[in-house]
Amino acid sequence: MDLPFELHIALRYLLAKRKQAFISVISLISTLGVIVGVMALVIALALMTGLQGELRDRILGSNAHVYVWKQGGILDYHAEARALLKIPHVIGAAPAIHGQGLLSAGAATAPIQIKGIDPALEPQVTDLAGAIRSGSIAGLAPSAEGRDGVLLGKDLAAELGVGVGDVVSLLTPQGTLTPFGMVPRTRPLRVAGTFSLGLYEFDSTYGFMSLDAAKRLLDKDAVDFIQLRVDDIYKAPAIAREIPEDLGPRYLANDWSFMNRSLFSALWLEKMAISITIGLIVMVAALNIVASLILLVMEKNRDIAILKTMGASARSVTMIFVTQGLIIGLVGTAIGASAGYAASYVLDRYKLIRVPVDIYQISHVPFTVQPLDFTLVVISALIVCFVATIYPSRQAARLDPAQALRYE
């Protein structure tokens, strides 16, 4: 099957040798520019998407999807949980108490965020059960000596130098009234195990204990809130709005997206800023295509004039240079997109880029190539390359053969 003569001439100009080698070098530079731009854009979007997804998954694994408070406190959390489970899309409900204290073991001390939980219900709303690294949730029950158990984050346990079975002392602001005033309360606890939820904030500062133990330590008669898990995380905002409407104005609910909106808004803004900035590389490559085609038109004035005198239409001449620009764009985009995808896979598979966990909450930079992002990059690059061919190709089509051949 014969190639259309426009494609044949475009390929010949692209692969020109000897006298036309300069034009080929310019075309090669243009192709390399598209490759680098597309590759960088794919990797950048994969980085931001992966970071956003990893943080979201870890936040949702450590936290519930919806939090429910009740004015006056939640005295019978079993009844409240049953009522909340009747709301569509709610698949789990568990109570929680929150407080703060100072944990010590020997000469080491560290602040701790105390979370009182129901060991039987907590796995319904968070990933705590799967995050246990040593010990077990069942160990939160009082021991034979009457000591309550506590699950510590792995980084907090390492900071204190304790393990399963060790005894730690917890100092809480809620004290005991004595003739000398209010004295902070200290209570010995048994380390029931350690966990790693993947978020440095939790692994370095949190400790889980039973509801009864938390009530005694924090002087509380009721749980602070009910945690909910839903079957679709993106329906959590609507469910949070629905709860006060269904159960009454005494209820207040917030969802995970509202409580972390600042973080995800910042990540989205960074993704857009990086995309626009790196997208300028593709724009520079498009300018190289414009320059190379203009030089080619100037170089091939005589050839264009001969083609037109032989009957080639202005449309055919236009298509020759549009085709050449699109070939540069197609080759550059295909190689750049493939290289970007491969690089993202390798960087994510082997966790090659490490980051400080105390700053970024994760130990390495994840890369996730979303089909939509990948497709948008490819289509955008091809459109930019096509637009870059319009001016030079139209100038070639307007060439007057008589003027071009007058001095030949």
Side-chain angles (χ1 to χ4, degrees), residues 250-310:
R250 295 178 61 193
Y251 290 84
L252 173 67
N254 272 335
D255 68 281
W256 68 273
S257 62
F258 179 82
M259 299 178 75
N260 296 281
R261 63 189 185 281
S262 298
L263 171 63
F264 289 106
S265 295
L267 289 174
W268 181 86
L269 184 62
E270 286 183 15
K271 184 176 181 178
M272 291 300 101
I274 289 175
S275 301
I276 293 172
T277 303
I278 297 182
L280 294 176
I281 298 176
V282 179
M283 298 300 294
V284 172
L287 292 177
N288 284 336
I289 294 175
V290 174
S292 66
L293 291 180
I294 289 175
L295 288 174
L296 184 63
V297 171
M298 294 173 63
E299 179 79 13
K300 300 297 181 180
N301 267 356
R302 180 173 177 273
D303 292 7
I304 296 169
I306 292 174
L307 284 172
K308 297 191 78 171
T309 56
M310 293 176 64

Side-chain angles (χ1 to χ4, degrees), residues 128-141:
L128 180 61
I132 300 297
R133 292 293 175 264
S134 61
S136 66
I137 295 182
L140 294 179

Side-chain angles (χ1 to χ4, degrees), residues 42-212:
V42 169
I43 293 175
L45 288 176
L47 185 153
M48 294 308 301
T49 301
L51 182 62
Q52 194 172 23
E54 185 74 12
L55 286 176
R56 183 196 62 217
D57 293 343
R58 295 196 181 196
I59 287 172
L60 292 177
S62 306
N63 296 277
H65 297 165
V66 179
Y67 291 88
V68 182
W69 293 265
K70 184 180 180 181
Q71 187 178 4
I74 301 173
L75 298 175
D76 185 358
Y77 70 82
H78 290 289
E80 299 291 352
R82 285 193 295 270
L84 289 167
L85 283 170
K86 294 179 181 178
I87 296 174
H89 305 293
V90 175
I91 58 175
I97 293 176
H98 195 270
Q100 296 177 329
L102 188 66
L103 202 62
S104 60
T109 60
I112 183 174
Q113 299 288 331
I114 305 164
K115 185 178 180 182
I117 62 171
D118 184 328
L121 298 178
E122 185 68 17
Q124 295 182 12
V125 296
T126 67
D127 294 340
L128 180 61
I132 300 297
R133 292 293 175 264
S134 61
S136 66
I137 295 182
L140 294 179
S143 64
E145 296 82 14
R147 285 180 180 152
D148 294 308
V150 61
L151 287 171
L152 300 179
K154 67 178 182 64
D155 294 320
L156 178 58
E159 183 180 352
L160 295 173
V162 296
V164 177
D166 291 339
V167 177
V168 294
S169 296
L170 177 64
L171 179 68
T172 58
Q174 291 75 18
T176 303
L177 185 62
T178 70
F180 303 100
M182 190 69 69
V183 177
R185 180 182 303 168
T186 302
R187 184 182 182 89
L189 299 173
R190 172 182 43 83
V191 178
T194 59
F195 64 86
S196 176
L197 285 165
L199 279 180
Y200 183 76
E201 175 188 355
F202 277 79
D203 294 343
S204 64
T205 62
Y206 265 73
F208 293 87
M209 60 179 59
S210 68
L211 276 178
D212 292 336

